[in-house]
Amino acid sequence: MTKEHIKSNKGPFTAAVTANKRLGERFYRLRLEFAGAGARAFAKAQPGQFAELDLSTATLPPPDTIPENLLDVSSRNILLRRPFSFCDLSSKGSKTYVEILYCVLGPASLRMTTLSKNDLVSVIGPLGNGFSVPKGRKIALLASGGMGAGPLLHLAKILKEKHTKIDVIAIVGAKTKKELPFEIHKSQPKDFKKYKVKSLITTDDGSLGIKGLVTECLTEWLNKNKPASKDTIIYSCGPEAMLARVAEIAKQHKIDCQISMERMMACGFGVCQSCAVECSAAGSGETIYKLCCKDGPVFDGKEVIFNL
Amino acid sequence: MKKKKADISVDFAGLRLANPVFTASGTCGYADELADFANINVLGGFITKSITLKPRKGNPTPRIVETDSGMLNAIGLANIGLENFIKEKLPLIEKMTAKVFVNIAGETIDEYVAVAQRLSGEKAIAGLELNISCPNVKKGGITFGTDPIQVAEITSAVKKVSADKILMVKLSPCVTDIAIIARVAVDSGADALSLINTFTAMVIDIETARPVLANKTGGLSGPAIKPIAVYLVNKVYNEVTKNTNVPILGMGGIRNASDAVEFIIAGATAVGIGTANFIDPACAIKIIEGIKKYCARKKIESIKELIGTLEI
């Protein structure tokens, strides 16, 4: 009887870890296997959607391996789930596989690093609204900063698979070479290369690719290639300051732009109201708060009032 | 021999609840938001997000921060406002079988009265929960709930215009003696008490020396506050409601059936599930099943036998 009462198409589902690979100093890629209802739910997930993971039961790494800046905070136990978008999604037989690109930033992601093959994780999702592909586009520009690359990798795969007429160009940036969440092969991110997506790398210090910001590279690309506004769309994910600048550039060039926002969330499904994103209300000078979890996390670049 | 099932229904201020489990205000939406995850119709009770006379945008972000075994929130009573609530959410509430309480809030007593008056006569609503304990707004909220004179005034004013509703007053723990506030509320016409709301608290970012929350302070909830909540429920039960017909809706950090049973032993007739809904939206349903199992294991025929049975 209870099972009937808690039947849900969004979870919580139990997923099994199949891999948790380290990609440099602070980045990891977690692969989760879903069976049954979870597999069916996640098979339909769109790029830009997200899942809420319960990491409260994951163990801490040994103290001597914990980065010094996280040592104090690591003793805090975890109460709330943590939201993650997907960098890849695939199905095999009745199973669905979801991959998450994550950065070790606090006590929960620190615990996440100790997850290993066959460990079980409680997952709610897929949640929120992902990226959409308007009809008639010929060029998609993906602009990512640091960890923002995750959902854009998933989007790149879908664009290449299902929208073969669209030319996809990725501009991926980070502060330094070490801060790029990719395996690099011949100065190209392996993952984008796998999908045959052209990518431009920028680093603030010039340690790899073009020295400068993603947004500078984006402006330069637009000025040089002059794509027709109606043919083009920009997708972006990264730090809020970067997203604000991307939205501004898109506006100047009259190009549609979809951005994936990030907020602290307690629930992820619209009841806690924590993850407010200030947006301009249509037809008035007023602003309203939308919810990152339910109305987003993907927003139209034109509507967001950035929190800078 | 067939095992007799325990009766977990309770009488709550004259209202028969199928079981003693509510979802608490601000953690379960306005109506059917959790229906994606569980059959909310098996809940004993349901309390809506706070409703104010006019829509409220709420506070800037960050609005939450996690703490040890808890979280702070400073949402700022963001809500769609009374008229939108009636138009959009009431039709959904009419389809629900759980007993629905609307949590009402305001900046002035007149605003509380206006909301209560407009909702009186709406048959789908069993009761009102008077929010006089929100720590995250500049006017109203906790400023009412910490002053016995204002508690009396607001409770009796709302009671006058909502005779057909069960009036439940939600108490703040941020007072010297919660029993004084509880007694004033009961003497002024409260049919039920819910406790506790969150504790005013702060988290500081030591890199910037600023509070993490945009509102500076927020309300602490979650397992961290549970032992204090159990104590305060027991205190109010012993000192105020024990020999009355006024039930207590006990809440504060409940995340499983064992936690819920603690509150019932302490004196709560029913329990509210709050923060735990964020982590497992089917939590309340699991707690109902867990209470049944506890009763069976302890050979309790009716959960009513358990209320306020703390042995000292």
Side-chain angles (χ1 to χ4, degrees), chain B residues 9-80:
Chain B
S9 70
V10 291
D11 175 79
F12 194 84
L15 199 65
R16 189 191 172 275
L17 303 178
N19 61 69
V21 179
F22 281 69
T23 47
S25 180
T27 67
C28 51
Y30 297 105
D32 61 354
E33 286 88 335
L34 292 185
D36 271 345
F37 300 95
N39 177 8
I40 54 166
N41 283 325
V42 302
L43 290 171
F46 176 94
I47 309 175
T48 70
K49 170 108 190 105
S50 290
I51 303 296
T52 52
L53 191 57
K54 298 273 179 262
R56 284 177 63 97
K57 276 173 72 175
N59 292 328
T61 57
R63 289 178 172 185
I64 59 148
V65 59
E66 188 182 69
T67 59
D68 253 301
S69 296
M71 60 173 278
L72 305 193
N73 88 80
I75 308 301
L77 300 180
N79 79 96
I80 57 175

Side-chain angles (χ1 to χ4, degrees), chain A residues 2 5-6, chain B residues 8 19-24 27-28 34 38-40 42-46 254-257 260 271-274 276-278 280-291:
Chain A
T2 328
H5 288 311
I6 54 179
Chain B
I8 63 160
N19 61 69
V21 179
F22 281 69
T23 47
T27 67
C28 51
L34 292 185
N39 177 8
I40 54 166
V42 302
L43 290 171
F46 176 94
I254 298 174
R255 60 172 163 181
N256 52 46
V271 293
I273 316 303
N277 292 325
F278 299 152
D280 180 0
C283 179
I285 314 294
K286 292 174 185 166
I287 289 172
I288 296 168
E289 294 305 312
I291 292 173

